[in-house]
Amino acid sequence: MRHIRIRHWFFASLAAAIFVQCASIAQPQGGPRDSLPPLVVSTVPVQKAANFKGRRILLNFNEYVALRDQQKEFVISPPNLNGSKPTLTVKGRSIQVDFQEQPDSNTTYRLDFGNAIADNNEGNRLGDYAFIFSTGPQIDTLLMSGLTVDAQTRDSVIGAMVFFFDAAADSVASRDSTLFNARPDAVFRSDSSGFFLADILRDKDYRVYAILDKNGNQRYESGADYVAMLDTVYNPTRMPDFDMWIEPAAGRKGPRRQIDPPQLRFELFMEEPVRRQTVLGTSRPERQKLEIVFNAVRQAEIVSFAPVGLDSTWLTRENGIKGDTVWYWIAPPTRADAEALQDTIRARISYMTQDSLWNPQLKTEELTFVHRIVDPTARGRKSNTAYADSVKKVKEARRKAKRAARLQKKWLKVARQISRRRGDPKRTDAELLADSTLFKQVDVDTTQTDKPRREDELPAKNPFGFEVMAANPLNPENHIRLLFNYPLRSVDDARIRLTKLSEGQSSLPSRDRQSAVAEPGKKTETPEPFTVELDSATRRLLTIRADWKADDEYSLLIPDSVFTDIAFQANDTLQSIFKVADSSKFGTVIIELNEDDALPDYEYILELQTKDGKTVQRVKHAVAGGSYKLRYLSAGTYRLRVTEDRNRNGEWDTGSLVERRQPERIRIWEHPLNGRDILAKENWDVAVPVDLRELFERP
């Protein structure tokens, strides 16, 4: 009996072990996915502690945590003088913050972790967490709110850093260097709605700036980061009240903070980098085109430009769109002079730049322009060694042998078909090749082992180039514009022919009809008067204007050699048949700017845009009191963007931090009831009254 009990006990233990082992392998079942961020359960010292004298802070959470993008997300306010940050260390369910140096005395600190804290398993982020403490007897608790937007798009800017500087310590001279040299008293960051709340301020005047840090180094870099500055100083005790609330989560959007009205408003812009003018490089993309690239975006002030061996009267200057590029076109009077141009041209240029104190200074340089002719049929570099030449010959021989074999195979196939039709007995390939009578009947040349090149079969392309800037159907307000690759030397506009096409008519009535009627398929051509305008500045833009009639069909014929450019190249024949758009199939928007004597003497830029921000039509140099009709708009929803053009140049100009110049203001027009949407319908006029004062006073 004892042996039986031991045996039963042994098998029971073995079964239990197997059962436990199998259970340990199986995955746990059920349970929802963790979607909650970690929570702070305690801190050492406590949140908003005063008289803190240590150098270590400990944050304890309810689960294991990790740090993500801490270099970019973690911000300390105020920052250390040397730019260093405390060291962050993750220890299980805690984060340890160690200051490398003793914090400043009598100072309120704010450790902004942004979205750096997440749980270790699912990566759920604890957003916008900040820890505040003071090394003095009290916490600075004055508040100031604000909003950050893009100066051009008017969209909210997420993650902009807002710097508060002591206005008494950081006086602004003629050139503002506060962001580069001074230490801010406090730093804050805008949230996902563009709002920010500064909550550790004192009762004093502040000079406030905002930047959008693109590279994450938490320092402003001109030309790389967006920036905004305010024109005056602000004290939190003298600011108007504001309301703040949290909107609940909706859809994929989480809870969002709302502030109304924001006390400070920043319009961030990308300023042109402040650089001393200098020549970055030169090139000669065309034989008669010299290109100079400067490092400053502003238009170069060239005092003199003298190429060696060229007559200065041959040169025509053209400025690039951005202003940092200048082209000089060479227009010799004769073809012989054009062909005699050297491949390398040297020139002496004198232009205005700045010295070390930013005072105007004249600089002279020697420039070189080299024109290299590239053979488009060449592949790679040509070999210049005997070994490379021998390898090339072997490859060429193999290629010819393969082509000869393919041609012989094709010849044998045709020869065998002819032999069968003649009733010859079955023959081998050698017998077919030996039959001389077949060579006269098989139309396959087996000696052409060199494959003809495609460029040898096609006619040479005319180097004269231009772009037709017109659509079909034609918008009659835009006319027909031609943009040429080279400036034109001559235009023989008397040879251009513009005719209106209409249904043809029978010349004589017949017995079956008493009057002439239209014959299907035939159209008559009636000459139409037109004018040709050539841009005198560049001589590269030509406009053909006519009294276009809606829904009519026209034919434009430009014979060859009507246009001749400075390289003595002429155009080929161009013929086009097109229709003019019918205005009844499009909508019209009439923009009426109110007249107000109190408005400054500015001009305005009106841009009608689609909902995705694409500009459909633009009006430059608009003035208060004017009415502007935008026609030929496809049915749809648009919005109106109005730019305050202070310098009347027809373009939006950015601001300058160093010069403390704000960017030109941009506003999106809104209807009091319908909002921003402007609905255009076919054969319908929509009036858009714009109160300029109300528009630009509105933030």
Side-chain angles (χ1 to χ4, degrees):
M1 294 295 294
R2 185 176 182 182
H3 292 290
I4 295 175
R5 290 178 181 175
I6 292 176
R7 184 184 303 170
H8 288 175
W9 176 84
F10 173 76
F11 283 112
S13 301
L14 180 61
I18 295 174
F19 177 78
V20 171
Q21 186 176 5
C22 293
S24 64
I25 295 176
Q27 295 291 333
Q29 300 294 323
R33 178 182 177 275
D34 180 16
S35 60
L36 299 177
L39 299 178
V40 179
V41 295
S42 64
T43 62
V44 180
V46 297
Q47 178 74 274
K48 295 187 177 181
N51 294 315
F52 177 71
K53 304 302 181 183
R55 294 171 57 180
R56 173 172 293 177
I57 295 173
L58 191 64
L59 309 178
N60 300 314
F61 298 86
N62 64 339
E63 58 180 318
Y64 290 96
V65 294
L67 290 173
R68 316 285 189 194
D69 303 324
Q70 67 181 60
Q71 188 64 27
K72 179 180 179 180
E73 294 288 341
F74 180 67
V75 177
I76 179 174
S77 174
N80 294 329
L81 288 174
N82 58 6
S84 63
K85 293 182 180 181
T87 303
L88 306 183
T89 306
V90 177
K91 294 188 174 182
R93 299 187 179 187
S94 302
I95 294 178
Q96 182 175 297
V97 183
D98 292 308
F99 285 82
Q100 300 177 13
E101 300 176 356
Q102 187 67 31
D104 296 341
S105 59
N106 295 321
T107 302
T108 299
Y109 278 85
R110 188 177 193 272
L111 307 182
D112 185 355
F113 289 85
N115 295 319
I117 302 175
D119 65 50
N120 192 46
N121 294 326
E122 301 295 340
N124 300 314
R125 303 259 182 153
L126 175 62
D128 300 327
Y129 176 73
F131 181 80
I132 298 174
F133 68 93
S134 175
T135 57
Q138 61 183 11
I139 298 285
D140 298 326
T141 58
L142 293 181
L143 303 177
M144 202 178 297
S145 66
L147 175 66
T148 57
V149 299
D150 189 294
Q152 278 191 286
T153 64
R154 308 299 302 169
D155 294 331
S156 300
V157 176
I158 302 173
M161 300 182 66
V162 184
F163 298 86
F164 286 76
F165 294 89
D166 187 347
D170 300 313
S171 59
V172 176
S174 59
R175 301 183 70 85
D176 190 351
S177 60
T178 302
L179 266 181
F180 301 99
N181 301 326
R183 178 197 182 191
D185 281 11
V187 182
F188 304 92
R189 185 163 34 197
S190 63
D191 58 19
S192 58
S193 300
F195 294 106
F196 68 88
L197 182 67
D199 53 0
I200 58 168
L201 301 180
R202 295 183 177 182
D203 181 8
K204 63 179 181 180
D205 293 341
Y206 289 97
R207 197 176 303 280
V208 195
Y209 299 79
I211 70 169
L212 181 60
D213 188 13
K214 287 290 188 178
N215 54 14
N217 62 358
Q218 299 179 8
R219 299 185 62 181
Y220 175 65
E221 296 182 2
S222 177
D225 300 331
Y226 284 79
V227 67
M229 68 280 184
L230 301 180
D231 293 330
T232 185
V233 298
Y234 295 89
N235 189 310
T237 61
R238 298 194 296 268
M239 300 299 292
D241 295 337
F242 65 92
D243 295 326
M244 184 176 68
W245 68 95
I246 302 297
E247 286 189 352
R252 294 184 177 181
K253 295 182 179 180
R256 308 182 76 178
R257 177 169 54 190
Q258 297 294 323
I259 297 176
D260 185 35
Q263 296 173 323
L264 305 179
R265 295 179 184 271
F266 291 92
E267 298 187 8
L268 284 88
F269 59 91
M270 177 76 74
E271 69 171 340
E272 298 174 0
V274 181
R275 299 169 180 166
R276 292 180 177 86
Q277 189 69 283
T278 185
V279 175
L280 283 183
T282 61
S283 63
R284 193 176 172 189
E286 306 291 345
R287 188 169 183 80
Q288 294 174 230
K289 182 180 182 180
L290 309 179
E291 181 178 279
I292 308 173
V293 180
F294 293 86
N295 71 324
V297 179
R298 62 183 179 276
Q299 192 63 59
E301 299 180 37
I302 299 178
V303 178
S304 64
F305 180 74
V308 178
L310 292 182
D311 191 336
S312 60
T313 60
W314 295 3
L315 300 178
T316 301
R317 174 176 170 174
E318 181 179 348
N319 298 322
I321 298 177
K322 292 185 177 181
D324 59 348
T325 304
V326 174
W327 298 301
Y328 281 98
W329 295 95
I330 307 174
T334 64
R335 185 186 297 271
D337 292 331
E339 294 175 351
L341 291 175
Q342 299 294 323
D343 292 338
T344 301
I345 294 178
R346 291 178 173 82
R348 177 185 293 269
I349 185 173
S350 298
Y351 58 93
M352 298 304 299
T353 182
Q354 300 81 27
D355 59 15
S356 58
L357 299 178
W358 292 93
N359 296 317
Q361 182 183 41
L362 183 66
K363 185 176 182 179
T364 302
E365 292 187 43
E366 300 288 340
L367 305 180
T368 302
F369 303 87
V370 180
H371 178 60
R372 294 181 174 87
I373 301 177
V374 180
D375 183 5
T377 63
R379 296 183 179 180
R381 295 183 177 180
K382 294 184 178 180
S383 58
N384 55 1
T385 63
Y387 174 76
D389 290 340
S390 63
V391 171
K392 183 178 180 180
K393 290 180 180 179
V394 171
K395 290 183 178 180
E396 184 69 14
R398 290 177 180 174
R399 186 187 64 80
K400 289 185 177 182
K402 289 182 179 180
R403 180 166 175 80
R406 289 196 301 268
L407 291 174
Q408 187 182 78
K409 185 177 180 180
K410 183 178 180 181
W411 186 93
L412 288 171
K413 181 179 179 180
V414 177
R416 184 169 284 105
Q417 293 175 353
I418 296 175
S419 178
R420 289 175 181 174
R421 286 198 297 267
R422 293 191 313 189
D424 296 339
K426 188 175 181 180
R427 307 165 75 179
T428 63
D429 292 348
E431 292 174 341
L432 291 174
L433 291 172
D435 189 350
S436 60
T437 61
L438 291 175
F439 282 96
K440 298 179 181 180
Q441 303 180 48
V442 180
D443 189 16
V444 176
D445 188 359
T446 59
T447 63
Q448 295 295 328
T449 57
D450 289 328
K451 185 178 180 180
R453 297 167 62 181
R454 179 175 177 83
E455 54 269 18
D456 296 336
E457 300 173 354
L458 299 176
K461 183 180 178 181
N462 187 353
F464 184 91
F466 64 95
E467 177 186 358
V468 180
M469 304 172 65
N472 191 4
L474 175 69
N475 183 342
E477 295 183 344
N478 295 337
H479 300 282
I480 299 175
R481 295 187 298 168
L482 307 179
L483 181 63
F484 299 90
N485 294 350
Y486 276 70
L488 294 183
R489 181 181 299 274
S490 63
V491 178
D492 188 4
D493 55 357
R495 298 174 57 204
I496 301 177
R497 185 182 179 191
L498 178 66
T499 57
K500 182 189 294 186
L501 303 181
S502 57
E503 294 297 333
Q505 292 184 337
S506 176
S507 58
L508 294 174
S510 65
R511 291 183 303 173
D512 300 328
R513 56 177 181 265
Q514 299 298 320
S515 60
V517 297
E519 293 185 7
K522 293 185 179 181
K523 294 185 178 181
T524 59
E525 298 187 16
T526 305
E528 282 290 316
F530 64 93
T531 59
V532 175
E533 299 176 5
L534 181 63
D535 181 29
S536 59
T538 64
R539 297 188 64 84
R540 293 203 303 130
L541 181 63
L542 183 138
T543 305
I544 300 176
R545 301 179 182 271
D547 185 16
W548 311 106
K549 302 299 182 183
D551 208 30
D552 280 354
E553 192 174 24
Y554 293 84
S555 173
L556 176 65
L557 174 63
I558 302 178
D560 65 289
S561 304
V562 167
F563 306 124
T564 304
D565 60 24
I566 60 174
F568 295 92
Q569 301 169 153
N571 66 288
D572 292 331
T573 300
L574 171 66
Q575 186 170 13
S576 176
I577 297 176
F578 57 92
K579 293 191 69 173
V580 175
D582 185 359
S583 59
S584 64
K585 298 180 181 179
F586 296 88
T588 301
V589 172
I590 304 173
I591 303 173
E592 299 174 348
L593 305 182
N594 73 308
E595 189 169 4
D596 191 337
D597 295 336
L599 290 172
D601 189 20
Y602 295 155
E603 290 183 350
Y604 300 90
I605 304 172
L606 311 177
E607 294 175 283
L608 200 65
Q609 299 180 326
T610 58
K611 279 194 169 183
D612 57 359
K614 180 181 179 181
T615 299
V616 177
Q617 290 195 33
R618 178 185 287 109
V619 177
K620 299 181 180 181
H621 309 293
V623 295
S627 179
Y628 304 92
K629 184 178 292 187
L630 307 183
R631 302 193 299 171
Y632 298 96
L633 298 170
S634 300
T637 303
Y638 300 90
R639 68 176 188 174
L640 175 63
R641 189 170 81 161
V642 183
T643 302
E644 191 179 63
D645 189 9
R646 295 196 297 260
N647 59 0
R648 298 168 168 261
N649 66 345
E651 301 291 340
W652 177 81
D653 292 297
T654 187
S656 172
L657 171 66
V658 175
E659 299 175 5
R660 294 198 63 79
R661 185 182 71 250
Q662 296 288 355
E664 292 180 335
R665 295 187 295 175
I666 296 177
R667 295 293 183 268
I668 306 298
W669 177 85
E670 291 188 19
H671 189 274
L673 300 178
N674 301 329
R676 297 182 174 184
D677 290 348
I678 301 174
L679 184 61
K681 301 179 181 179
E682 290 187 8
N683 199 24
W684 194 266
D685 293 351
V686 180
V688 180
V690 180
D691 187 333
L692 292 172
R693 179 190 292 187
E694 188 273 336
L695 179 66
F696 283 97
E697 286 181 352
R698 188 177 67 234

